[in-house]
Amino acid sequence: MATAPAPELLADHRGNPKPCKESTLTYEQARLGMSFHEAGHAVLAMSYGFHVMSSEVIAWTIENDGWGLTGNTALALDSVNAWHYAAMCAAGVLCEVQYLMIHGLWTPERGALCAAEHDRAQAIDLLAEQGIGIGRDHVPAGGKSWAQVRGMAARKVDHLWREIRTVAHAMNENTKLTGEQIAAMTGLANAPMVGGAA
């Protein structure tokens, strides 16, 4: 494992540090869970026609026997459907929780640790810039609740679970995948990057 990643990979879209959470999973279990989280973002993004540059799980050593994990999925967001973007943000947590359930690892505590408030906040902020509201616990006028966004994402995740699983296992083994590699292993098209070669 490497040393801690660049500070920007440990921060949310506002530049605030992402919360550090203690896991009761082994390193291998948590790494695969993070791979499912990032695979969910990448596969839904690609299925919605976004250009995926890369998706990765990032691990580092903390002191002598500790470890840290995070992930990153890099997208080109020139012109995307707002609700597709929000569903893509919601997909990471859904895939990580589904991984825990399928592998017999789910507990309420572990499920709560999957919560990625930064993904929800990023979706809310990006859509707010476009004048579209997402309510955390209500349906705003002309918008949707986060529960409705999660429902949209859940349907897409169920439909694409085979592709998500394939990408997650490949990412766990290889650490980082390019958009082209993800497209090749899933059969999905990686949209060309607007204004340049992909």
Side-chain angles (χ1 to χ4, degrees):
M1 274 190 275
T3 57
E8 59 269 17
L9 292 175
L10 299 176
D12 64 17
H13 68 289
R14 298 174 184 158
N16 299 320
K18 294 177 189 173
C20 184
K21 304 172 186 176
E22 292 287 328
S23 177
T24 59
L25 298 171
T26 66
Y27 167 74
E28 291 77 14
Q29 291 167 336
R31 180 184 169 93
L32 185 54
M34 183 59 64
S35 297
F36 269 91
H37 184 113
E38 294 306 320
H41 289 320
V43 170
L44 259 69
M46 197 170 283
S47 76
Y48 283 134
F50 302 174
H51 177 76
V52 178
M53 293 180 279
S54 65
S55 190
E56 65 184 311
V57 61
I58 303 165
W60 67 96
T61 303
I62 299 174
E63 296 176 357
N64 293 331
D65 58 352
W67 46 268
L69 279 172
T70 192
N72 185 53
T73 297
L75 309 171
L77 297 174
D78 294 308
S79 176
V80 298
N81 176 286
W83 294 117
H84 290 170
Y85 179 80
M88 180 277 303
C89 287
V93 170
L94 296 174
C95 292
E96 193 172 354
V97 168
Q98 192 157 322
Y99 152 76
L100 291 175
M101 295 179 82
I102 288 170
H103 288 84
L105 299 170
W106 189 88
T107 65
E109 296 77 20
R110 287 175 178 164
L113 287 175
C114 293
E117 292 87 0
H118 63 279
D119 286 338
R120 180 178 65 185
Q122 188 166 345
I124 290 171
D125 288 353
L126 187 133
L127 268 65
E129 289 173 8
Q130 298 179 36
I132 302 168
I134 299 178
R136 284 180 168 80
D137 56 5
H138 68 287
V139 180
K144 297 184 188 304
S145 69
W146 186 245
Q148 289 173 311
V149 170
R150 284 175 52 99
M152 291 166 34
R155 286 188 295 279
K156 198 78 165 168
V157 164
D158 286 346
H159 179 70
L160 293 167
W161 186 249
R162 182 183 62 80
E163 291 83 356
I164 292 165
R165 186 182 65 235
T166 298
V167 171
H169 284 285
M171 191 182 312
N172 187 48
E173 185 173 325
N174 297 291
T175 301
K176 185 173 185 175
L177 300 172
T178 66
E180 289 68 31
Q181 289 171 318
I182 293 168
M185 67 182 65
T186 61
L188 296 169
N190 194 17
M193 196 150 63
V194 175

